[in-house]
Amino acid sequence: MPRIYYPFPAKVSGIDERGGAFEVDATVDNMCAKGLYLRLSWRIKVGAKISIIVRLSTTAEAAAEAPQVKIDGVVLRMEENNVGACGIGVKFERHRFL
């Protein structure tokens, strides 16, 4: 499936691995029609349901006026790196433009 590789800004919310609610800023690394991969500094369990608002902006100057899409999805995988961030693979369940 074709993928878009671009660092779109995002806001992620859901329940973390300890059972607490969270809302954090994140960066989408890439996405396709069925899912996306993003980086964030929060640990989430595989199988968790999360909501993501992605701002479809290609420049910082255009970010305020860029279209946004709200995505509800499920975490398919979580990869930790050595600087405390995680890579999260998410499968889309629903989406809508805001």
Side-chain angles (χ1 to χ4, degrees):
M1 189 157 280
R3 251 179 207 283
I4 298 170
Y5 291 90
Y6 194 83
F8 294 113
K11 187 162 294 282
V12 181
S13 60
I15 304 298
D16 66 18
E17 71 176 4
R18 295 180 181 176
F22 72 93
E23 182 175 282
V24 295
D25 291 325
T27 302
V28 172
D29 281 345
N30 64 72
M31 71 171 101
C32 68
K34 294 184 179 183
L36 58 77
Y37 185 83
L38 58 88
R39 289 176 284 129
L40 70 157
S41 58
W42 214 263
R43 293 178 51 90
I44 304 171
K45 286 184 181 179
V46 171
K49 297 199 182 262
I50 60 173
S51 291
I52 308 160
I53 296 177
V54 180
R55 188 170 298 273
L56 301 173
S57 172
T58 57
T59 66
E61 295 80 26
E65 299 175 13
Q68 297 179 81
V69 61
K70 182 177 188 285
I71 299 160
D72 294 318
V74 63
V75 176
L76 295 181
R77 72 180 196 271
M78 186 196 60
E79 303 167 346
E80 292 184 66
N81 68 22
N82 57 0
V83 293
C86 296
I88 307 290
V90 178
K91 177 183 171 189
F92 297 164
E93 292 186 326
R94 280 182 297 286
H95 71 279
R96 67 181 171 95
F97 283 91
L98 302 176

